[in-house]
Amino acid sequence: MAKQCDAAYPQIYDLFNLWQAFKKASAGRRSQPGVAHFEYNLEAELISLRDELREETYHPGGYCSFMVHEPKRRKISAAPFRDRVVHHALVNVIGPPLERKFIFDSYANQMGKGTHRALDRCTHFMRRYKYVLPCDVKQFFPSIDHAILHNILARTIGDEKVMRLIDRILASGDGILTEEYEMVYFPGDTLFSANRPRGLPIGNLTSQFWANVYLNELDQFLKRRLKVHAYLRYVDDFLLFSNNKTELRQWRAEIIQFLAGLRLTIHENSAQPRPCANGITFLGFIVFPDHRRLKPAKGYAFRRRLRHLAADYRVGALEREDVLIRAQAWAEHIRHGDTWGLRRAIFHDAGEV
């Protein structure tokens, strides 16, 4: 198959592309010091990036990492703003030809997709099939193998300079998630396999995009090789549907074997066929064929967050309007489930701020 990103490198450092990348990277963040400083010297900063990229002297900076605990404990690593501009400039160019290879039922980090579309598709399948097999990848972002990802990308990207830029960005994240990864050995491994570069920093545009590219290999395997008709994926959570439990168990075994080739594993204990009528937990909701409920933990977590927002408002750290905007945004999200009572309670609490 002909590669689709030959001679793409000049498009990345084109000044108009860098300016578009700046606009995307700065959206909603222009008050942040790093973003404001970059914008204050915008022309000089963009020209500097262009020159560094053109001469291949660009090197990513260090990451700022912190922990979050909702919805689960994760290490978030933020790249310097000028690096985020480069990430957007790169994805602007390599994104379209790679995204054209994605299946319809891949829903994460794509224009026109998202959690709500994925939930609707889940409901669609729940109403048409008897059984569902829920799967999720263990330690997904910490496990992504750099050499395997490089080879996947190189099948489409024929420009060696683009691949060298990708390798520099990949190398900048090596070791960021080492403490989050518990070593798994696969057939043929040696003790040196523990030193394989792996892990994509959570929080980067490139990481989100490359994660989709990485698991598109699984998507293609399920759709083309196993001929699974009812399947959807959101990042590393995916569901398979069938009217036959035995078929789902066979697919499960095939999935485990295929993912080993990507140096990935799933949570096998929870990956068991179950009746759709009993509901399935997916993307923070419990989805049934005829209705959808929010996971209780999600409701409790937001009530706690709202109390913290209210406390910040009382000491002057937040404006009342900011609290109401955040409460309304979250209420809009949970509106995709049967949550009228919870939404009424949230706005009652927010109204007391």
Side-chain angles (χ1 to χ4, degrees):
M1 181 180 295
K3 297 189 178 185
Q4 301 175 46
C5 282
D6 292 334
Y9 194 64
Q11 299 175 45
I12 295 172
Y13 62 73
D14 176 80
L15 275 176
F16 182 67
N17 183 49
L18 288 173
W19 178 78
Q20 288 182 313
F22 160 75
K23 298 291 284 185
K24 291 180 179 180
S26 63
R29 300 180 176 88
R30 295 178 68 179
S31 62
Q32 295 178 3
V35 181
H37 176 77
F38 191 99
E39 185 171 16
Y40 183 77
N41 302 285
L42 182 59
E43 183 177 355
E45 291 281 7
L46 294 181
I47 290 174
S48 175
L49 275 179
R50 179 200 63 185
D51 293 345
E52 290 178 33
L53 289 167
R54 183 175 57 195
E55 302 303 321
E56 294 191 84
T57 59
Y58 164 79
H59 291 285
Y63 289 88
C64 177
S65 298
F66 56 93
M67 302 301 298
V68 299
H69 298 274
E70 293 179 6
K72 58 185 178 181
R73 183 183 180 277
R74 293 180 300 166
K75 184 178 183 180
I76 305 298
S77 300
F81 180 70
R82 74 190 310 265
D83 291 342
R84 299 203 294 272
V85 173
V86 173
H87 298 168
H88 277 276
L90 173 63
V91 173
N92 283 350
V93 173
I94 70 170
L98 286 163
E99 286 182 344
R100 282 196 288 270
K101 298 185 176 185
F102 293 173
I103 66 169
F104 176 82
D105 283 315
S106 169
Y107 287 91
N109 306 309
Q110 296 175 70
M111 189 70 68
K113 295 294 185 74
T115 57
H116 301 145
R117 290 284 183 90
L119 286 165
D120 290 344
R121 189 63 164 169
C122 177
T123 298
H124 171 83
F125 287 140
M126 295 280 280
R127 290 173 176 172
R128 286 160 175 77
Y129 293 90
K130 292 182 180 179
Y131 303 105
V132 56
L133 175 70
C135 302
D136 68 298
V137 179
K138 280 185 178 180
Q139 311 174 98
F140 177 49
F141 280 90
S143 299
I144 293 176
D145 188 90
H146 290 189
I148 295 174
L149 176 59
H150 173 101
N151 292 335
I152 293 170
L153 291 168
R155 293 205 302 262
T156 298
I157 301 170
D159 190 319
E160 292 184 2
K161 290 185 177 182
V162 176
M163 290 307 304
R164 285 200 292 269
L165 174 60
I166 287 171
D167 287 341
R168 283 197 292 275
I169 295 172
L170 279 174
S172 72
D174 185 25
I176 290 288
L177 295 177
T178 298
E179 295 179 357
E180 310 301 310
Y181 179 73
E182 182 179 345
M183 183 61 197
V184 178
Y185 288 95
F186 295 92
D189 278 356
T190 68
L191 290 177
F192 295 106
S193 298
N195 298 323
R196 292 177 67 100
R198 63 173 62 83
L200 297 181
I202 300 173
N204 280 359
L205 171 69
T206 47
S207 297
Q208 296 167 358
F209 179 67
W210 289 335
N212 255 349
V213 172
Y214 204 80
L215 277 187
N216 182 57
E217 299 294 298
L218 173 67
D219 299 343
Q220 298 297 332
F221 172 74
L222 291 175
K223 300 298 286 187
R224 294 175 182 271
R225 290 275 300 279
L226 298 189
K227 307 297 183 183
V228 180
H229 297 293
Y231 161 76
L232 72 148
R233 178 177 61 81
Y234 189 93
V235 192
D236 59 325
D237 289 315
F238 54 98
L239 305 174
L240 294 83
F241 298 83
S242 175
N243 289 321
N244 188 315
K245 274 189 176 182
T246 301
E247 185 174 52
L248 288 174
R249 292 191 184 99
Q250 291 171 345
W251 288 343
R252 176 183 179 273
E254 296 271 10
I255 287 168
I256 292 170
Q257 183 176 355
F258 180 83
L259 286 179
L262 295 175
R263 302 189 67 82
L264 298 176
T265 58
I266 62 172
H267 291 93
E268 295 187 21
N269 289 340
S270 59
Q272 304 293 339
R274 58 196 69 184
C276 290
N278 292 352
I280 188 70
T281 300
F282 186 55
L283 301 181
F285 289 83
I286 304 171
V287 184
F288 295 87
D290 57 354
H291 68 286
R292 197 182 294 161
R293 293 206 301 258
L294 187 73
K295 282 179 63 177
K298 294 287 186 179
Y300 297 141
F302 184 76
R303 297 294 286 272
R304 288 195 301 270
R305 196 177 314 138
L306 188 59
R307 287 195 292 270
H308 291 318
L309 292 173
D312 287 343
Y313 162 73
R314 293 187 185 100
V315 299
L318 276 179
E319 297 292 331
R320 184 173 186 273
E321 186 66 19
D322 292 331
V323 178
L324 293 176
I325 287 173
R326 296 185 193 189
Q328 185 173 9
W330 198 77
E332 181 65 20
H333 167 63
I334 66 171
R335 182 180 63 82
H336 292 265
D338 299 302
T339 56
W340 165 245
L342 177 59
R343 282 180 282 145
R344 182 173 58 183
I346 286 172
F347 279 109
H348 178 268
D349 289 353
E352 294 179 350
V353 173

